[in-house]
Amino acid sequence: MPGLIPESLQKKLSERLSYYQDLGINHFYRDRTSAIPSSAELLTEFSAGPTGSIAISNEELTLPKPSRAPQLLKSIPISSEISKTVPLPVLAGPSLFESLDRIVDDTLLKVRSDLGDCTRCKLHSMRHTIVFGDGNPKAELVFVGEGPGADEDAQGLPFVGRAGKLLTQMIEAMGLQRKDVYICNVVKCRPPENRLPEEDEVKTCSPFLFRQIDVIAPKVIVCLGAVAAKTLLQTNRGISQFRGQWLEYRGRKLMATYHPAYLLRNPNAKGEVWKDLQKVMAVLGLQPKKGKPA
Ligand code: SF4
């Protein structure tokens, strides 16, 4: 049917617009020039993971006519349907550059402020406190867990229960203190009965995690457990397939290891985690203070 784009592309466009809204960007500029993004830029943008950049926002999203990018259109298979005009909602508001400024000038305070008294997902109804994150806003090392537990929900701080105490020991064994690192979770509200966060909850809350990481700009991210690793790496692979290997999240080094709660149930795995943390220490130039955690 004329004017339609493939369903998969529509879905990606819809997800991308939701992502911008979660970033606090609610206005999209109206194109006043002929500077239409190239089809390569559009396709890259749609197919990439979250990048924090803004590529499209128009009264009408129009892909270039073949005469504008003949080489491109030869090399990239574009359905003739895509090259038609796709109507988007007409939104008045600040320019693209004002929105970009907002990203460039982002701070943890702004991220927290945008999160507000969040009711974006169903976890809000069961929480006592939003657990945003804690630690050094300029940390070289960020730990990401999956979500708050009962103690965290009560205190509003991440990793303060039994698993948190173990994490603190691990951090100190690395020659650091908790105040030197930043600790946060994928979801900011406690899942009931300490269940794993569900897909929709992760999808809704994770843009705030992405922003936190962008603002802090750490050298190394340590994912504690599968939920954090899968969220940042956008993978469904089991953590055992990549635990202990250096990976990358948006240009930053990422190490996935076991969650401290897992270590409480499986103390034999502590040695594996310590090996992972030693790799992190090597990159950060840290010397252990107390040997491996108890
Ligand atoms: S988990 Fe995140 S998205 Fe869901 S209500 Fe809490 S803060 Fe909002």
Side-chain angles (χ1 to χ4, degrees):
M1 185 185 296
L4 281 185
I5 57 175
E7 204 172 312
S8 60
L9 191 55
Q10 286 182 41
K11 188 163 174 281
K12 283 177 179 171
L13 177 58
S14 167
E15 286 173 355
R16 180 47 56 105
L17 289 173
S18 300
Y19 173 67
Y20 291 143
Q21 282 177 338
D22 283 333
L23 288 175
I25 299 165
N26 295 308
H27 301 291
F28 297 86
Y29 81 113
R30 183 193 301 240
D31 186 13
R32 300 183 186 89
T33 73
S34 59
I36 298 166
S38 74
S39 55
E41 286 167 338
L42 286 169
L43 291 174
T44 302
E45 180 69 14
F46 285 137
S47 59
T51 63
S53 63
I54 301 174
I56 335 147
S57 286
N58 271 328
E59 180 179 3
E60 293 182 328
L61 169 65
T62 311
L63 295 182
K65 294 184 177 71
S67 60
R68 297 202 56 196
Q71 293 303 102
L72 212 73
L73 293 173
K74 264 184 215 161
S75 57
I76 301 176
I78 302 175
S79 153
S80 60
E81 294 296 312
I82 303 178
S83 65
K84 293 171 181 160
T85 297
V86 183
L88 279 180
V90 178
L91 299 168
S95 73
L96 170 65
F97 298 104
E98 288 170 83
S99 298
L100 278 174
D101 283 346
R102 190 167 174 178
I103 288 180
V104 170
D105 293 340
D106 211 1
T107 64
L108 287 180
L109 211 59
K110 281 188 193 170
V111 182
R112 180 65 189 88
S113 167
D114 289 340
L115 186 63
D117 191 18
C118 185
T119 56
R120 291 173 179 82
C121 84
K122 58 187 180 294
L123 291 180
H124 84 275
S125 61
M126 294 159 272
R127 70 159 185 252
H128 287 103
T129 322
I130 288 179
V131 182
F132 181 67
D134 186 41
N136 180 354
K138 296 189 172 161
E140 289 196 324
L141 176 57
V142 168
F143 288 93
V144 182
E146 59 200 32
D151 293 307
E152 290 78 15
D153 182 51
Q155 297 184 42
L157 291 168
F159 283 91
V160 289
R162 280 183 67 218
K165 287 199 175 83
L166 181 53
L167 176 61
T168 303
Q169 288 176 1
M170 290 156 54
I171 291 167
E172 289 174 352
M174 296 173 75
L176 294 168
Q177 296 183 334
R178 271 183 73 120
K179 67 178 176 53
D180 297 322
V181 305
Y182 193 86
I183 306 172
C184 55
N185 286 301
V186 172
V187 295
K188 314 301 187 202
C189 301
R190 181 193 179 198
E193 313 298 329
N194 291 341
R195 67 158 167 75
L196 291 178
E198 292 173 356
E199 197 179 328
D200 61 311
E201 297 158 357
V202 168
K203 193 171 173 185
T204 307
C205 204
S206 56
F208 295 97
L209 168 66
F210 303 149
R211 272 177 75 183
Q212 283 174 296
I213 293 173
D214 281 351
V215 168
I216 297 165
K219 264 191 191 162
V220 176
I221 302 161
V222 172
C223 291
L224 300 168
V227 173
K230 289 179 176 182
T231 302
L232 292 184
L233 297 170
Q234 299 280 297
T235 180
N236 285 323
R237 291 166 65 206
I239 188 171
S240 58
Q241 293 179 42
F242 54 80
R243 199 219 90 245
Q245 299 169 23
W246 280 119
L247 299 162
E248 197 181 285
Y249 168 75
R250 296 177 60 168
R252 306 188 189 289
K253 291 177 89 70
L254 183 150
M255 174 73 68
T257 194
Y258 294 126
H259 194 286
Y262 175 83
L263 297 182
L264 291 173
R265 298 189 303 271
N266 304 276
N268 289 341
K270 284 182 183 176
E272 295 304 306
V273 171
W274 182 235
K275 280 184 204 160
D276 300 342
L277 295 182
Q278 284 178 311
K279 292 179 190 169
V280 173
M281 290 161 61
V283 166
L284 296 178
L286 298 171
Q287 294 295 323
K289 278 192 181 158
K290 298 179 182 172
K292 73 177 187 180

